[in-house]
Amino acid sequence: MRKAFALLLGLTIPLAPLTPVAAATPPAPAPSAAISWTPCPEDATTECGTLAVPVDWNRPTGRKFNVGVARHRAADPAARIGTLVLGPGGPGGSGVDLVLASSQIFGPDLVRRFDIVGLDPRGTNRSNPVVCSTDLLLQSPDPLLKNQAEFDRARAYNRRLRADCRARTGPVFDHVDSLSTTADLDAFRAALGEEKLSFWGGSYGTLLGQQYADRYPRRVRAFVLDSTIDHTFDTRSFLDDESRGAQDLFNEFVAWCERDENCLQHDGDVRTLWKGLMARADRGELGTPGQPDVPLTPFLLSWTALDYFYVPDAWRSFSELLADLDAGRPSAQRLPTPLAATGSQDVTPNPFQILCEDYRLPVRDYREYSNHLRRLEKIAPDLRYSSLAAFSVFACLGEPDTIPNPQRPISARTDVPVLVVNSLHDPATVYPWAVNVTRQLGHSGRLLTYEGWGHIVYGRSPCATGAIEAYLISRTLPARGARCPAVPPNTGARNLNLQQLVSPLITRPGWTSTF
């Protein structure tokens, strides 16, 4: 049986005019010299290598660096269709790791009929990762700023952090946008000797798929955007839509508790319990189980809930955590952990710069910032905001107005429609984003709706998984308006999921979380 999996990140309102800077179209790469493939250290049945690409695609003959790549050859060469690229989420996920796990996480027909390949996006993992001082990351202010002085200090901190990361990372730091990774992917295609590519991308990896189809529509064979991010939102619509999605999942969790005895609060009032925990966190009275000297702040508590909502199979575990927190006892369930508690290291990967080069999310001053937070509390009365969106805006404060890859609609016109797939209840890449991306694609887009919960659809239901595989193998599209019914959460499952495998949650710098 194939395991069920899930991935990261995640609009509905088109971007208000931001006077975006026009990004130069990356030149089509010349055929590259063959990659020197060798068995991967992690798995000798998969090949690993590196591909030299320009730091700046606007200067293709300038300085170069190596991008990590991997390939798992089709199990049945006689039935081979072509090359299937895996686009990881994050930002910060690894395409190489996805390829290494491909025989476990993708169906046997895909593994049999495709060379499955992937690259680590520039600025991550094996591709000149963005790294920063661990000590400096641990000094990050709380994202819930309280006055103009804190707002000014946060902007100053972000400038100091970016300077540190740039110095430690090198010139690639200013060129880690997804449009540059799109050009890297086409260089990879040329090195593989392929005329066209098939693609499955999850979460933030769908931006790579969108922009590749937009730039190189004639090189698209079959592209799946699974749990898609939109590249047209502005600051307000991003915060609002994400917070609606977070609150929707909290409501769905409450409804599950009311109908399912697997919830420890089945005979109680989980919403009242949660309100009490948030009030204790507000007063600084809620400790982290097993780390009593580390207070569980309202932001971290809200983030923890969002973390669990990515995977509906984890709802029982979240119910157990709530009971433990309420009783003030140690818990076996996962919680945010400061990096300082996970081992000493001078530098820490921090791929968040990718998002800040892909999205301009300006906030003028504390007044505007606080207005956002007050509005979000009305949109999401339980969680108060989407911690993912709130931190994203916080982390990009002070980013220059001119960024490499500002928001813009896609206008891809491919020979075969791109398949957009999304859960109706997704806490990260909210369902309206999938609707909006499909609308942008026009006749070159087709939307498949999974009526259930969670982030990343592939592997969640036989209906949706079968439709994705049929499209990738034979380019058979589901009917317009097709929907797949929800599969109830399997709260006894303890399977590794795709989100955990390749796409770490975006959280406060200096903190991590694991399933």
Side-chain angles (χ1 to χ4, degrees):
M1 292 288 293
R2 191 178 312 129
K3 297 178 181 178
F5 304 97
L7 219 268
L8 171 60
L9 181 66
L11 189 114
T12 170
I13 305 172
L15 176 69
L18 292 176
T19 59
V21 176
T25 302
S32 304
I35 298 167
S36 295
W37 295 104
T38 59
C40 298
E42 301 89 342
D43 180 2
T45 66
T46 302
E47 301 169 296
C48 286
T50 58
L51 176 68
V53 297
V55 169
D56 181 354
W57 274 101
N58 290 318
R59 296 176 175 82
T61 61
R63 185 169 179 173
K64 290 183 169 54
F65 75 104
N66 287 330
V67 167
V69 297
R71 175 173 64 185
H72 188 280
R73 289 189 178 273
D76 184 354
R80 179 184 180 276
I81 294 171
T83 296
L84 174 61
V85 179
L86 305 183
S94 167
V96 171
D97 287 350
L98 269 178
V99 174
L100 286 165
S102 59
S103 60
Q104 295 176 284
I105 63 178
F106 290 99
D109 282 347
L110 296 182
V111 175
R112 183 174 72 90
R113 305 198 65 180
F114 285 98
D115 286 352
I116 297 181
V117 306
L119 55 77
D120 283 350
R122 52 172 58 210
T124 73
N125 303 289
R126 304 161 184 83
S127 300
N128 200 143
V130 173
V131 293
C132 314
S133 162
T134 302
D135 288 342
L136 187 55
L137 284 171
L138 290 169
Q139 297 171 31
S140 171
D142 191 292
L144 302 182
L145 307 172
K146 298 179 178 63
N147 50 55
Q148 184 64 42
E150 288 191 2
F151 184 87
D152 293 339
R153 283 195 291 271
R155 286 172 60 97
Y157 169 81
N158 283 350
R159 286 194 295 270
R160 189 156 50 104
L161 180 63
R162 279 192 284 271
D164 175 88
C165 302
R166 181 181 288 108
R168 296 174 185 274
T169 304
V172 172
F173 178 85
D174 293 304
H175 304 279
V176 293
D177 59 286
S178 293
L179 197 58
S180 294
T181 298
T182 296
D184 297 341
L185 177 55
D186 202 52
F188 189 26
R189 175 203 59 79
L192 292 168
E194 298 288 343
E195 291 186 8
K196 293 189 175 185
L197 295 174
S198 297
F199 180 89
W200 177 92
S203 193
Y204 206 84
T206 62
L207 182 56
L208 174 62
Q210 290 175 43
Q211 296 201 314
Y212 188 91
D214 210 28
R215 297 285 173 171
Y216 312 108
R218 296 294 174 260
R219 297 171 190 168
V220 168
R221 178 190 168 273
F223 270 40
V224 175
L225 309 179
D226 188 335
S227 305
T228 192
I229 191 168
D230 194 356
H231 198 231
T232 65
F233 54 67
D234 61 8
T235 305
R236 177 169 180 151
S237 55
F238 174 49
L239 289 167
D240 290 3
D241 282 4
E242 285 285 75
S243 296
R244 288 190 190 97
Q247 182 64 38
D248 172 62
L249 263 295
F250 188 90
N251 296 341
E252 291 295 312
F253 172 73
V254 171
W256 171 78
C257 274
E258 291 173 349
R259 68 175 181 266
D260 196 317
E261 293 182 356
N262 280 304
C263 178
L264 272 62
Q265 293 80 28
H266 175 65
D267 295 323
D269 186 342
V270 67
R271 208 180 292 271
T272 298
L273 184 153
W274 174 262
K275 184 177 180 180
L277 291 175
M278 289 293 278
R280 287 164 60 187
D282 283 332
R283 298 190 298 268
E285 298 172 358
L286 191 63
T288 301
Q291 302 177 69
D293 57 332
V294 179
L296 194 56
T297 66
F299 182 81
L300 292 176
L301 183 59
S302 183
W303 159 31
T304 298
L306 192 67
D307 183 349
Y308 279 89
F309 294 158
Y310 276 65
V311 185
D313 291 354
W315 287 0
R316 161 76 187 202
S317 297
F318 183 50
S319 170
E320 293 173 1
L321 175 63
L322 294 181
D324 293 339
L325 290 172
D326 187 47
R329 59 177 175 253
S331 180
Q333 306 308 321
R334 68 186 186 275
L335 273 168
T337 305
L339 286 176
T342 64
S344 59
Q345 52 193 42
D346 292 334
V347 298
T348 296
N350 184 27
F352 209 89
Q353 181 64 18
I354 296 170
L355 186 141
C356 296
E357 292 185 17
D358 284 337
Y359 289 89
R360 184 169 178 264
L361 301 170
V363 181
R364 291 187 303 272
D365 52 25
Y366 172 71
R367 180 179 180 181
E368 183 179 2
Y369 197 83
S370 62
N371 285 343
H372 283 314
L373 292 178
R374 284 195 298 270
R375 187 183 68 256
L376 298 183
E377 284 203 48
K378 295 177 182 178
I379 292 173
D382 292 296
L383 292 183
R384 301 182 179 177
Y385 36 72
S386 162
S387 55
L388 172 61
F391 178 72
S392 299
V393 171
F394 165 82
C396 294
L397 288 176
E399 188 75 20
D401 287 342
T402 302
I403 61 173
N405 188 26
Q407 297 98 311
R408 66 178 65 80
I410 55 173
S411 57
R413 295 298 176 259
T414 55
D415 294 335
V416 175
V418 171
L419 180 60
V420 181
V421 189
N422 222 92
S423 297
L424 196 58
H425 305 286
D426 187 320
T429 53
V430 294
Y431 181 72
W433 289 358
V435 174
N436 196 37
V437 168
T438 306
R439 185 183 300 120
Q440 293 169 46
L441 286 165
H443 292 297
S444 292
R446 183 69 56 87
L447 175 63
L448 173 64
T449 301
Y450 170 59
E451 296 179 323
W453 312 268
H455 190 50
I456 297 304
V457 175
Y458 184 86
R460 288 205 184 277
S461 84
C463 170
T465 302
I468 292 170
E469 292 184 351
Y471 167 74
L472 287 172
I473 291 170
S474 64
R475 295 187 286 187
T476 301
L477 283 161
R480 292 191 183 278
R483 303 173 80 89
C484 285
V487 174
N490 177 11
T491 56
R494 290 294 185 269
N495 288 337
L496 184 70
N497 57 73
L498 191 54
Q499 182 269 316
Q500 174 191 358
L501 180 66
V502 295
S503 187
L505 289 173
I506 298 175
T507 57
R508 181 177 173 180
W511 292 74
T512 187
S513 178
T514 56
F515 281 83

